[in-house]
Amino acid sequence: MGVIPEEWKVSTVGCEFEIKLGKMIDAERNVGVPKPYLGNKAVQWSRIDIGNLPTVPMSRSDIERFRLRKGDLLVCEGGEIGRAAIWEAPIEECYYQKALHRLRSLRGFDSQLLVALLRQWSERGLLTNYVTQTSIAHLPRVKFLEVPVPVPPPAEQRAIVGALSDVDALIASLEQLIAKKRDLKQATMQQLLTGKTRLPGFGGQWDVKQLGEIANVKTGPFGSSLHESDYVQEGTPIITVEHLGELGVIHFNLPLVSDSDYQRLRAYSLQIGDIVFSRVGSVDRNALIRSDEEGWLFSGRLLRVRPDRRKAVAPFLSYQFHGERFKSLVRNVAVGQTMACLNTQILKSIAVVLPSLGEQTAIAAVLSDMDAEIAALEQRLAKTHDLEQGMMQELLTGKTRLV
C-alpha cells in the first residue's frame, strides 16, 4: 500500500464493508418470479448500464438476499477484476448475479472513495496477489476481505471524493459533447454527401461514376515480395489493416522495412491524397493518406485508391467512403465464404456520386472543420484523464492533503 500519512489508519476491505456475492444463475434450478438483474458487463467504471437487462426467476428468499439498495457498491469478481460502480437506483427494483460482489459500508467508509482506490489498484495490477487463477481469473470473497485499504479521516474522505467527482463530471460532460459532435457530423455527412442539402452557391446535378473511372486502384505487394522477417528497427513504415482509423492512419506499432527493400517496393509507395482500403476481413475500413504518411508503403492486405485530381477531390471521396451507404455497398459486393475479400475489379466497379470539384472541396472543408473540433475535444478529454490519474496518485496516497 505504500507510505501514508500518520493521521490515516490501515484497515481491510472486509473490516470496512459487508461483502456478499450475487445469485447463481442456473436455468434448471432457478424458480420464482422473473426479476431484472445486473451481470458483470453491466458494471463499468463509475457507471452501470441498465439497458436490456436480463431476468431470472427469483424465490422469496432470493428477493430478500439479492435486491439492490441505493448506494450499494458493486465490484466485478471476474473479467476486469475490481471494476466498480455504485447503484443509484435508476429503476425501482433490481438484483445482481454471482459475478459481482455487493459491498455495504459498515463503519462509514465512503463507497466512492473505494471505487477510486479499486480503479487505481486495478490499473497498477495491485489486486493480482488476491486473484485466484483457475480456468478464469477471479477475485474470491475470502481474498477480497483481506485486501488492505487506507482510511483517511471522514472529512478528508469527503474532500477527496468531491475533488475526484468534479473531474469525473468534467470527463462525463466531455464524453457527452464528443458523442453529440460525432452524431452531428454523421447527420451532416448524410445530408451533404448525398446532395440532400446543398451548400450556398452550388447547384446542378451530380454525376454517378464507377470508382475505376475516376481513380487508379492497385493491390499491395504479394506475400512473396515481403515477409515479416524482413522488418527492421529503423526504416520506412508499412501500413497494414490495423492502422486504418476513422480519422486517418494510426501511427502505432508500424512495421518498418530497410532502404533496400523500400527501393525494391517503390511501386507501392503512397502519395498525399491516396486512400487505402482493407482487402480482407473488415473490407469497409479505409484511410486517407496525409502529408505525414507520404512515401510510406502499403501492405499486400490493402488496396490503394489514387484519385484523378481532375475528376475527384480526395478528402471528399474519403468522407464518402466513410459513409454507411458506401460501406454497405462494399460489404455487399465483397467475395469469400469464410472471410470477406476485395480485389481491384470489385472496388473499381462500385459507384460513387460526384458534384463539381468546387462543391467537393467545399463539402470536404465543412467536414474537416468538424473533425478538427472533435479531435480538439478528444485531446482535451485525454488531458483531463491524465489530470485525473495524477490527482488520484496524489490524493489516494496522501501526498497531497485537502484537509
Side-chain angles (χ1 to χ4, degrees):
M1 185 167 55
V3 179
I4 60 174
E6 290 183 3
E7 300 90 334
W8 291 18
K9 297 178 182 178
V10 177
S11 184
T12 64
V13 174
C15 287
E16 301 299 325
F17 290 87
E18 172 194 67
I19 304 177
K20 290 188 179 296
L21 276 171
K23 178 176 174 58
M24 171 71 78
I25 306 300
D26 187 331
E28 295 182 359
R29 296 183 180 181
N30 294 150
V31 295
V33 182
K35 297 290 185 180
Y37 71 91
L38 300 176
N40 183 290
K41 292 182 180 179
V43 176
Q44 300 297 314
W45 284 114
S46 299
R47 67 178 178 86
I48 295 176
D49 182 4
I50 60 168
N52 301 315
L53 288 181
T55 61
V56 62
M58 291 271 188
S59 66
R60 180 175 296 180
S61 173
D62 290 336
I63 289 173
E64 292 176 357
R65 291 174 60 197
F66 302 117
R67 184 165 182 169
L68 292 169
R69 298 199 312 232
K70 185 175 181 179
D72 282 346
L73 171 56
L74 295 167
V75 181
C76 292
E77 186 260 1
E80 186 180 357
I81 292 169
R83 192 173 63 220
I86 293 175
W87 175 249
E88 299 292 353
I91 57 177
E92 183 178 351
E93 186 178 5
C94 194
Y95 301 81
Y96 67 108
Q97 72 163 131
K98 194 177 180 181
L100 296 170
H101 295 289
R102 187 212 66 200
L103 281 65
R104 288 176 180 164
S105 183
L106 295 171
R107 305 194 297 197
F109 194 103
D110 195 306
S111 296
Q112 291 281 12
L113 180 59
L114 186 58
V115 172
L117 286 165
L118 283 165
R119 187 163 195 166
Q120 186 182 56
W121 296 341
S122 175
E123 290 173 350
R124 297 187 174 189
L126 300 180
L127 293 174
T128 303
N129 292 337
Y130 301 92
V131 171
T132 297
Q133 182 75 51
T134 52
S135 56
I136 300 175
H138 63 108
L139 176 62
R141 177 180 178 275
V142 66
K143 293 286 190 180
F144 197 13
L145 291 166
E146 300 172 354
V147 175
V149 59
V151 185
E156 191 163 5
Q157 290 188 41
R158 291 191 294 272
I160 292 170
V161 167
L164 294 178
S165 294
D166 288 345
V167 181
D168 279 338
L170 176 57
I171 288 172
S173 66
L174 285 171
E175 289 174 341
Q176 291 173 2
L177 181 57
I178 290 170
K180 288 180 181 178
K181 294 293 185 180
R182 285 174 175 162
D183 289 343
L184 177 60
K185 180 196 165 187
Q186 287 300 316
T188 304
M189 288 175 64
Q190 176 64 23
Q191 293 297 311
L192 293 182
L193 295 176
T194 60
K196 292 179 181 178
T197 297
R198 307 294 291 274
L199 293 175
F202 295 102
Q205 295 294 314
W206 288 20
D207 293 329
V208 178
K209 301 284 187 181
Q210 290 187 326
L211 188 56
E213 297 180 75
I214 55 113
N216 174 268
V217 181
K218 184 181 181 68
T219 305
F222 290 107
S224 58
S225 301
L226 187 65
H227 302 89
E228 190 171 335
S229 58
D230 296 323
Y231 297 159
V232 295
Q233 294 296 313
E234 295 184 4
T236 300
I238 301 178
I239 298 171
T240 62
V241 175
E242 55 265 35
H243 303 114
L244 306 184
E246 281 297 310
L247 297 180
V249 176
I250 299 169
H251 292 208
F252 178 74
N253 201 28
L254 289 156
L256 307 173
V257 297
S258 65
D259 289 343
S260 59
D261 279 332
Y262 175 75
Q263 294 300 325
R264 180 170 59 85
L265 298 169
R266 284 182 66 90
Y268 303 101
S269 64
L270 294 163
Q271 298 177 6
I272 298 173
D274 286 347
I275 302 167
V276 283
F277 271 83
S278 171
R279 192 172 64 82
V280 293
S282 301
V283 291
D284 57 355
R285 290 178 64 176
N286 62 88
L288 177 68
I289 301 302
R290 297 183 169 88
S291 58
D292 288 345
E293 299 94 33
E294 185 177 19
W296 290 10
L297 302 174
F298 64 103
S299 78
R301 297 172 63 199
L302 301 181
L303 294 167
R304 185 204 66 200
V305 174
R306 180 166 290 169
D308 184 335
R309 296 181 182 180
R310 298 167 299 177
K311 300 176 181 179
V313 174
F316 173 84
L317 277 184
S318 177
Y319 283 119
Q320 189 169 152
F321 293 164
H322 280 90
E324 185 52 38
R325 172 191 165 277
F326 190 88
K327 286 189 171 188
S328 179
L329 282 174
V330 172
R331 291 192 294 265
N332 289 337
V333 299
V335 296
Q337 294 182 341
T338 58
M339 181 179 292
C341 297
L342 283 180
N343 57 43
T344 55
Q345 293 306 312
I346 293 173
L347 196 54
K348 284 180 179 180
S349 70
I350 297 178
V352 293
V353 289
L354 298 170
S356 67
L357 291 176
E359 190 169 3
Q360 289 182 48
T361 301
I363 290 171
V366 169
L367 296 175
S368 178
D369 287 344
M370 298 181 83
D371 277 341
E373 185 177 11
I374 292 171
L377 287 170
E378 288 177 334
Q379 187 176 30
R380 184 181 171 193
L381 177 61
K383 289 181 178 179
T384 307
H385 275 297
D386 291 341
L387 171 64
E388 183 183 45
Q389 291 298 313
M391 287 179 63
M392 288 173 67
Q393 171 61 21
E394 291 293 311
L395 298 179
L396 298 179
T397 59
K399 291 180 180 178
T400 297
R401 308 292 297 278
L402 298 178
V403 175

